Amino acid sequence: MAETDRQVPPAWNAVGRHGVFPEASHDEIARFNFLTNLNMHLASRVLPGVRKAYESRVENGSAPANRREVGELLKREPTYQLWSSLRRNTMEMRQQNSRAMVFRQLPELVEKARQLNRDSNKLQLDASVEIPRYVSAVDTHCMPGSYHTEYCEDDIAAGANYDSGIFVTTAGMLGRYSDGGGQALVEWLREEAKSGFRPKRILDIGCTVGHNIVPLAQAFPESEIVAIDVSAPVLRYAHARARSLGIDNITFRQENAEAIAAEDGSFDLIITSMFLHETSSRALPRILAETHRLLADGGKAIHIEQPQFTPEMPPYEQFMRDWDTRNNNEPFWGTLHDLDLFEAMEKAGFARENITTRGLFAVVDETLFPSAAKAAEDSEDYGRKPAWHTYIASK
């Protein structure tokens, strides 16, 4: 069982506010807190029961050879049915609470973003950019309209919804500004600097609201940063968010990652954070090829993802990690994690001996937020815990 002090996540009130962050009412905060605690309860109290039930069924039959057979076994298991249905419902309720809060004050939020975005050349939208089918065909993470739908002129609703609700899904383990991944990248870059790697130009692909790239901009203000996404609402929000936090060295551009408008060798560092699994099997090779084309000699590309489904990973763990494919509107999650990313990056042009992997844990203010690095093993939530595998390719 996890340690007692790991059972209670911080209150949603600990979320960091900035210039375009939605204002929450008492009841909206109460719903966020309920859902955050329910997620923690499901991960720490109910999920171990699913494992026990699975092991009991295996003891009374043959061991599943793959995750499909695990699914056949668990779909008749009441404990799994309870955990899975509640997990899905916490996501849907998170989205509905965030949406209701954002739409209640959308005109005011849009105006705040307009003021922050006005006359800036750091926000570059392009209405001719088509939303790829792998983005438009599904409401990713059960978010109605996903990240790209616009409800009014200069809309930022999708960005505000995502930014205010992600705390619930991660039980606060991404920190005050949900930027624990970006803070971890800053620590990694400081380590790399000891061996001379100090990127001057950085590209963030699939930046959404910019929560992972802002920490790099704050830590390395002399760096020139470009952050791209296909979705205008999240980019408007991301730019306004960054400006309200005092950031002026990030240019947010609306672009398709499969064909980025930049010269060969333009960047010293390219990052993606939990982005590759949101793409398709056809898009992924093109995106990886773009990272190779755009990297300068001596540059590095780093991709933050969950671990691959290897033969060494037990079928039970593979099945549980694949839950998002079946239940959280992430159709390419399993496909990506079945893939040999080392081989995919090699096909994109990187030399095999220049590709490596390492673990990465969210870096947070541990006086307020749980540390993923110190989280007990039985708090694993199969894809939700902010502890990642990174794939690093050098050119």
Side-chain angles (χ1 to χ4, degrees), residues 99-220:
R99 274 171 66 82
M101 178 178 68
V102 168
F103 278 96
R104 176 174 57 74
Q105 56 195 294
L106 187 57
E108 293 85 357
L109 291 174
V110 167
E111 185 55 33
K112 287 179 181 178
R114 280 185 182 135
Q115 294 298 325
L116 287 161
N117 294 336
R118 181 164 294 162
D119 301 326
S120 173
N121 62 359
K122 301 286 187 181
L123 176 62
Q124 300 174 6
L125 301 182
D126 182 355
S128 69
V129 172
E130 295 184 8
I131 303 298
R133 173 71 177 161
Y134 56 83
V135 175
S136 64
V138 62
D139 288 345
T140 306
H141 300 152
C142 306
M143 181 174 170
S146 195
Y147 297 88
H148 59 88
T149 299
E150 299 188 58
Y151 299 95
C152 63
E153 187 178 359
D154 295 335
D155 188 28
I156 50 85
N161 184 3
Y162 177 75
D163 196 25
S164 56
I166 190 173
F167 183 95
V168 173
T169 302
T170 61
M173 281 199 284
L174 280 177
R176 184 182 298 277
Y177 289 98
S178 298
D179 63 353
Q183 299 290 356
L185 284 171
V186 169
E187 279 202 353
W188 172 73
L189 279 172
R190 285 180 171 148
E191 287 179 25
E192 292 293 310
K194 295 174 184 174
S195 58
F197 181 62
R198 297 181 177 83
K200 294 180 179 177
R201 297 202 76 223
I202 300 172
L203 173 65
D204 180 18
I205 300 177
C207 65
T208 60
V209 298
H211 54 300
N212 285 312
I213 197 61
V214 163
L216 273 70
Q218 292 169 322
F220 309 107

Side-chain angles (χ1 to χ4, degrees), residues 240-274:
R241 179 184 187 274
R243 289 201 85 175
S244 75
L245 292 170
I247 304 301
D248 195 38
N249 59 330
I250 306 176
T251 298
F252 291 93
R253 296 196 329 216
Q254 187 175 14
E255 287 201 60
N256 187 326
E258 297 172 58
I260 299 169
E263 294 182 1
D264 296 359
S266 295
F267 298 96
D268 307 303
L269 173 67
I270 298 176
I271 68 172
T272 71
S273 182
M274 296 298 284

Side-chain angles (χ1 to χ4, degrees), residues 12-13 24-37 97:
W12 188 82
N13 308 57
S25 68
H26 171 276
D27 287 359
E28 288 158 349
I29 293 173
R31 290 188 197 103
F32 278 136
N33 284 334
F34 167 75
L35 293 169
T36 306
N37 279 276
N97 194 44

Side-chain angles (χ1 to χ4, degrees), residues 32 66 85 87 96 183 199 208 253 262 273 310 336 345 364 387:
F32 278 136
N66 52 52
S85 60
R87 199 189 204 209
Q96 293 305 325
Q183 299 290 356
T208 60
R253 296 196 329 216
S273 182
T310 63
L336 187 280
M345 286 189 279
V364 297

